[in-house]
């Protein structure tokens, strides 16, 4: 079975948690496409040229444990605005999306550019403050020296760059189901996402 779930939205809206839960529920594979940009950004911070860094990414680049820092996140969002960087990463993402057995991909442009024909598209948002509070908890649990204000600034800077770029800007696909998690628990958001996928799978069987 070929079945793609595309989950997009701004930083720390809950995409990752929802994607993982949906993938586990249905036995689908999951790709956090942000890691591709983070791994490219990390190589650039180490002195590489952005397009070459993207072209030369290896699976082990995605397994590094230093990709979740605010510095790498900013570098990711800068390289993500370079059209040739995005182009270098398209084939891998599309092949992953159409692999046998179903796939969930989360990112910024999955429903709009990478998989415009995805069977299910979700766009997950939450207020800036709620997203910053969630990301602050995650980062400080890992021992990062940061403050809620710094995290809020980081998210806003990346959102503005991600939504404002010319190539594949972050935005909901016209047919995406919008999930605002500002006042929705993550469990309730997962339930909604699972319901949308189930409905589509059942339609396919009829
Ligand atoms: O986890 P968080 O939402 O903070 O970020 P991420 O999903 O790991 O993405 C890091 C950065 O990569 C984003 O700020 C975007 O600039 C870029 N990105 C993108 O442009 N397109 C994607 N499909 C995924 C990420």
């Amino acid at each position: 079975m070929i079945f793609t779930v595309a989950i997009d939205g701004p930083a720390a809206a809950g995409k990752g948690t929802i994607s993982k839960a949906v993938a586990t529920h249905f036995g689908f594979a999951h790709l956090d496409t942000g890691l591709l940009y983070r791994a490219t950004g990390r190589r650039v911070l180490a002195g590489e040229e952005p397009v070459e860094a993207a072209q030369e990414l290896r699976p082990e680049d995605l397994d590094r444990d230093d990709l979740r820092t605010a510095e790498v996140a900013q570098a990711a969002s800068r390289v993500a605005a370079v059209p040739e960087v995005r182009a270098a990463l398209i084939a891998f993402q599309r092949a992953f999306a159409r692999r046998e057995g179903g796939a969930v991909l989360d990112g910024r442009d999955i429903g709009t550019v990478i998989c415009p024909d995805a069977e299910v598209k979700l766009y997950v948002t939450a207020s800036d403050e709620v997203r910053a509070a969630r990301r602050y908890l995650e980062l400080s649990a890992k021992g990062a020296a940061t403050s809620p204000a710094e995290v809020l600034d980081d998210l806003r800077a990346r959102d503005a760059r991600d939504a404002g770029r010319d190539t594949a800007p972050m935005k909901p696909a016209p047919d995406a189901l919008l999930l605002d998690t500002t006042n929705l628990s993550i469990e309730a958001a997962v339930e909604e996402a699972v319901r949308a996928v189930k409905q589509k799978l059942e339609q396919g069987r009829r």
Side-chain angles (χ1 to χ4, degrees):
M1 180 205 44
I2 307 287
F3 192 100
T4 310
V5 183
I7 304 188
D8 292 305
K15 298 184 303 284
T17 312
I18 295 171
S19 303
K20 279 190 209 113
V22 168
T24 304
H25 188 98
F26 294 99
F28 293 172
H30 170 229
L31 178 64
D32 169 359
T33 66
L35 283 182
L36 302 172
Y37 296 92
R38 285 176 181 262
T40 305
R42 194 209 56 82
R43 277 176 170 250
V44 170
L45 289 174
E48 285 183 49
E49 191 277 321
V51 179
E52 268 173 34
Q55 287 166 343
E56 281 166 22
L57 275 192
R58 296 283 167 269
E60 51 274 24
D61 281 291
L62 308 185
D63 292 334
R64 298 179 61 100
D65 58 9
D66 57 357
L67 299 180
R68 293 273 165 216
T69 66
E71 190 194 13
V72 170
Q74 287 294 342
S77 122
R78 280 192 297 271
V79 297
V82 179
E84 295 81 5
V85 165
R86 306 198 70 83
L89 302 173
I90 288 180
F92 173 72
Q93 295 176 82
R94 287 198 178 139
F96 191 98
R98 300 320 270 170
R99 66 199 269 155
E100 184 53 43
V104 181
L105 284 81
D106 71 283
R108 302 290 186 286
D109 63 337
I110 308 303
T112 51
V113 173
I114 302 296
C115 305
D117 297 328
E119 279 72 14
V120 173
K121 297 180 191 175
L122 302 175
Y123 193 83
V124 185
T125 57
S127 72
D128 296 4
E129 290 75 14
V130 164
R131 292 188 291 118
R134 286 183 192 151
R135 182 53 51 90
Y136 174 71
L137 281 180
E138 276 170 35
L139 289 172
S140 49
K142 282 193 215 140
T146 187
S147 67
E150 216 170 53
V151 174
L152 184 60
D153 284 350
D154 170 68
L155 295 190
R156 284 184 171 154
R158 279 200 289 139
D159 288 352
R161 208 183 283 125
D162 293 347
R165 67 187 173 219
D166 292 333
T167 308
M170 169 176 78
K171 65 174 176 199
D175 52 348
L177 171 68
L178 300 183
L179 263 183
D180 185 337
T181 66
T182 309
N183 297 307
L184 196 64
S185 71
I186 211 67
E187 293 78 18
V190 168
E191 252 174 55
E192 288 240 5
V194 166
R195 194 176 316 131
V197 174
K198 256 191 201 150
Q199 198 179 23
K200 193 73 188 189
L201 282 168
E202 279 161 15
Q203 272 173 19
R205 282 195 206 101
R206 271 187 225 131

